[in-house]
Amino acid sequence: MSSRDGSSREPAGLDGLPPLYSIAKGEVVSVQTYGAFVRLPGYKKEGLVHVSEMSATRVENASEIVDVGEQVWIKVIGRDIQGDKVKMSFSMKAVNQGTGRDLDPNNVQAEQDARRRKSFRDQGSNRITLEAVLNTTCSKCGCKGHFTKDCFSAPGSQYALVPEEDDEEPQQRQQTSTAAPQQDADKKKKKKEKKMKKKEKKKREHDESGSDSSSGECKSKRRRHSSSVERQDKKKKKEKLHKRS
């Protein structure tokens, strides 16, 4: 066992724990997908090197980095004591695996990792509590998402959420914005229909005027023809009378 400055020291006892942020060389006794368990000489308790603490780069499986029986340098970054249970967390990336030199002498990275693990545990517990509440059915109103003691509904009463004024204004704007293009389209359609009606009316008037003029010409031609026939008949009668005389 060695401290931060690399000097050797004896453990306090077999039942003791290595000091926090101390550096030691241990043996890998078990390899799992999520990390490797390392046993330090003179200590009964094994510590876990999580895959996130094995290398500065991403590690998918601990077997990619270490094997059982391999000697590795570790740094103690966590000691959780809960009654008789003790959990130790080690880091390999904080120590030079060739020389055993501390790569994080001020423990900045170790403290950041500790805060991250703590926040993760807090969020996990909150998530479990929230899911439990959401899946709870109230025995008073029969609805999900709250406990009976927190129920505010009275028997036979039904409540609905009333939208706020700020929420109503965007809805009205949206309705007016959607109605405006429809009104423009209706106006354009009406104008187009009016134009079509005007064109049809002009066409009918033009056709009627054309038919009237053609009928008038036919009548005048007939009159001329009849008058010329009458003149010819009169001329023939005169000639006959002249011959008789």
Side-chain angles (χ1 to χ4, degrees):
M1 189 78 181
S2 62
S3 61
R4 228 180 288 172
D5 56 1
S7 61
S8 60
R9 60 181 296 274
E10 293 295 330
L14 295 177
D15 295 332
L17 296 176
L20 190 62
Y21 303 133
S22 61
I23 294 175
K25 196 171 188 179
E27 180 183 357
V28 178
V29 295
S30 176
V31 178
Q32 306 295 330
T33 55
Y34 54 85
F37 289 92
V38 178
R39 181 180 296 161
L40 302 180
Y43 292 94
K44 290 182 179 180
K45 192 64 182 176
E46 301 166 358
L48 173 65
V49 182
H50 194 264
V51 287
S52 61
E53 295 293 338
M54 286 188 169
S55 174
T57 58
R58 182 179 177 82
V59 179
E60 296 292 341
N61 196 317
S63 60
E64 300 175 3
I65 304 297
V66 295
D67 293 322
V68 175
E70 186 176 352
Q71 296 290 322
V72 294
W73 286 98
I74 61 92
K75 182 175 184 177
V76 181
I77 59 173
R79 297 185 307 172
D80 296 332
I81 305 173
Q82 298 177 354
D84 296 335
K85 294 182 179 181
V86 179
K87 293 182 179 180
M88 291 192 297
S89 300
F90 298 159
S91 175
M92 289 173 55
K93 68 179 182 181
V95 186
N96 187 314
Q97 293 300 310
T99 62
R101 184 172 60 87
D102 191 352
L103 302 179
D104 185 24
N106 296 322
N107 304 317
V108 176
Q109 187 64 41
E111 291 175 356
Q112 289 179 355
D113 293 343
R115 285 195 297 269
R116 186 178 70 250
R117 287 193 299 271
K118 186 177 182 300
S119 64
F120 178 77
R121 286 196 297 268
D122 294 341
Q123 290 174 2
S125 60
N126 291 337
R127 183 171 64 251
I128 293 171
T129 304
L130 182 60
E131 289 177 357
V133 173
L134 292 176
N135 293 328
T136 301
T137 303
C138 177
S139 60
K140 187 175 181 181
C141 65
C143 298
K144 287 186 176 183
H146 63 274
F147 296 108
T148 305
K149 63 179 182 179
D150 299 327
C151 185
F152 59 88
S153 65
S157 300
Q158 296 293 331
Y159 296 92
L161 295 176
V162 179
E164 297 181 359
E165 294 180 357
D166 296 338
D167 296 337
E168 291 179 353
E169 290 180 358
Q171 292 179 358
Q172 292 177 356
R173 291 175 186 172
Q174 186 176 2
Q175 290 177 357
T176 54
S177 62
T178 53
Q182 185 66 28
Q183 292 177 356
D184 295 339
D186 293 340
K187 287 181 181 180
K188 290 180 181 179
K189 190 175 181 181
K190 288 180 181 179
K191 286 182 180 179
K192 191 174 182 180
E193 289 177 355
K194 285 182 180 180
K195 287 182 180 179
M196 293 294 292
K197 287 180 180 179
K198 287 182 180 179
K199 286 182 180 180
E200 290 177 357
K201 187 176 180 181
K202 286 182 180 179
K203 188 176 181 181
R204 286 198 298 269
E205 290 176 354
H206 183 269
D207 294 341
E208 289 175 359
S209 63
S211 61
D212 293 340
S213 61
S214 60
S215 61
E217 289 177 358
C218 291
K219 287 180 181 179
S220 61
K221 285 181 180 179
R222 288 173 184 171
R223 288 173 184 171
R224 292 195 203 101
H225 180 68
S226 59
S227 60
S228 62
V229 170
E230 288 177 357
R231 284 197 296 273
Q232 288 178 0
D233 291 341
K234 286 181 181 180
K235 189 176 180 181
K236 288 180 180 179
K237 286 180 181 180
K238 285 181 181 181
E239 288 177 353
K240 286 181 181 180
L241 292 173
H242 182 68
K243 286 179 181 181
R244 288 177 182 176
S245 59

